[in-house]
Amino acid sequence: MPVCIDWRSGYLLEQIPTVGTVVGWGWTENDTLSNELRVANLQVFDFIKCRARTSRIFSDFITSDKFCAGLDNGTAVQLGDSGGGITFPQNTNNNKVQYYLYGIVSVRETDKSNIAAFTDIRKHYHWLNMTLLSIIGQCEGLSSNRMNLECFYGNSKVDCGRPVTVGTELRAKCKDNYQPEVPSKAFKITQCLPNRTWAKELYKCIPKKRETNTLRPISGGSKHDLEVLNNYYL
């Protein structure tokens, strides 16, 4: 089944869980390729401990966008597993377990250690957002003759009338001669969500009601004078 990427802002700050799951068709302990998909649960090591447990030469590959995982009993990723993911379970609001991707199998010092380095996808979160979601995720464009619409993707202004990338913000406001039909539905900003729908449906603007001035008789004037004024102003 597909694995998920968590697009919440809090995902970037969360501590990586202590045990993650990897799968692959790489080489086995018998130096043969597996004909069946294999799975292993690996312990995660923090950045400093990982560098301390590997050779000086190999530690140069453990850059700041990596974390490490492995087991002392010999269980580890092997040749052919590169590019696979390490995933961690999370409980959803429906009390179901959903697996989320945190790392990609990157490098391992195969002859000296069972610890492998994984690329932390959270360190490349913005690249993923711009590249992956721009391919698979777009919301339909929006337009209105009665509203001023502005769309921004990051710091760049984009055309609201065309399909826009997930994460695009739309700023809406009724034009000067219009007002929200239902004020409670009016909003300043909405966003294109990963499910390719807008967070809030575009509200409607209606013409503002014209204010009517009631003319009063001039002090000391006659009824005819008032009728002349009314004809003139109306």
Side-chain angles (χ1 to χ4, degrees), residues 32-75:
T32 59
L33 283 172
S34 175
N35 292 322
E36 297 179 347
L37 184 65
R38 292 197 168 195
V39 61
N41 295 320
L42 304 181
Q43 181 181 356
V44 174
F45 298 93
D46 63 40
F47 182 79
I48 296 176
K49 186 176 182 179
C50 180
R51 288 179 64 95
R53 293 188 56 169
T54 55
S55 68
R56 181 177 179 182
I57 295 176
F58 183 73
S59 65
D60 290 339
F61 293 98
I62 307 174
T63 51
S64 59
D65 67 337
K66 303 286 194 300
F67 65 87
C68 298
L71 288 177
D72 292 332
N73 65 2
T75 303

Side-chain angles (χ1 to χ4, degrees), residues 4 39 41 61 63 67 84 88 119 129 135 157-158 166 219-220 234:
C4 297
V39 61
N41 295 320
F61 293 98
T63 51
F67 65 87
F88 300 86
T119 299
N129 188 47
I135 296 173
K157 190 172 183 178
V158 295
V166 168
S219 177
L234 299 180

Side-chain angles (χ1 to χ4, degrees), residues 122-135:
R122 298 176 305 168
K123 304 294 184 180
H124 303 275
Y125 178 89
H126 296 293
W127 180 85
L128 285 170
N129 188 47
M130 292 174 59
T131 305
L132 179 61
L133 293 182
S134 66
I135 296 173

Side-chain angles (χ1 to χ4, degrees), residues 8-221:
R8 295 179 301 110
S9 58
Y11 173 67
L12 302 177
L13 303 175
E14 290 177 354
Q15 292 291 328
I16 296 177
T18 56
V19 177
T21 302
V22 291
V23 295
W25 277 279
W27 290 81
T28 69
E29 62 274 14
N30 299 320
D31 293 330
T32 59
L33 283 172
S34 175
N35 292 322
E36 297 179 347
L37 184 65
R38 292 197 168 195
V39 61
N41 295 320
L42 304 181
Q43 181 181 356
V44 174
F45 298 93
D46 63 40
F47 182 79
I48 296 176
K49 186 176 182 179
C50 180
R51 288 179 64 95
R53 293 188 56 169
T54 55
S55 68
R56 181 177 179 182
I57 295 176
F58 183 73
S59 65
D60 290 339
F61 293 98
I62 307 174
T63 51
S64 59
D65 67 337
K66 303 286 194 300
F67 65 87
C68 298
L71 288 177
D72 292 332
N73 65 2
T75 303
V77 296
Q78 300 287 354
L79 293 173
D81 291 329
S82 297
I86 183 168
T87 64
F88 300 86
Q90 291 185 15
N91 292 323
T92 66
N93 294 332
N94 298 326
N95 294 322
K96 295 182 179 180
V97 176
Q98 180 72 58
Y99 283 84
Y100 287 88
L101 183 68
Y102 276 72
I104 305 295
V105 180
S106 182
V107 291
R108 175 181 160 229
E109 196 172 22
T110 56
D111 57 341
K112 293 184 179 181
S113 173
N114 292 320
I115 296 177
F118 296 77
T119 299
D120 188 342
I121 68 166
R122 298 176 305 168
K123 304 294 184 180
H124 303 275
Y125 178 89
H126 296 293
W127 180 85
L128 285 170
N129 188 47
M130 292 174 59
T131 305
L132 179 61
L133 293 182
S134 66
I135 296 173
I136 63 173
Q138 289 186 324
C139 292
E140 64 177 341
L142 298 175
S143 61
S144 173
N145 294 328
R146 299 182 174 187
M147 304 183 77
N148 293 319
L149 302 178
E150 290 184 310
C151 288
F152 295 87
Y153 184 70
N155 295 324
S156 302
K157 190 172 183 178
V158 295
D159 186 357
C160 296
R162 296 185 176 184
V164 297
T165 304
V166 168
T168 298
E169 285 190 349
L170 180 144
R171 303 172 187 178
K173 184 180 180 181
C174 292
K175 292 183 178 180
D176 291 340
N177 294 330
Y178 295 88
Q179 63 187 19
E181 182 180 35
V182 182
S184 60
K185 292 186 178 182
F187 58 83
K188 293 183 179 180
I189 297 176
T190 186
Q191 188 177 52
C192 176
L193 301 177
N195 63 2
R196 290 177 286 184
T197 63
W198 291 99
K200 298 177 182 179
E201 184 179 356
L202 195 64
Y203 59 92
K204 295 181 179 180
C205 295
I206 60 174
K208 288 182 178 179
K209 294 181 179 180
R210 293 184 179 181
E211 295 183 0
T212 58
N213 295 323
T214 302
L215 294 176
R216 299 181 179 275
I218 298 175
S219 177

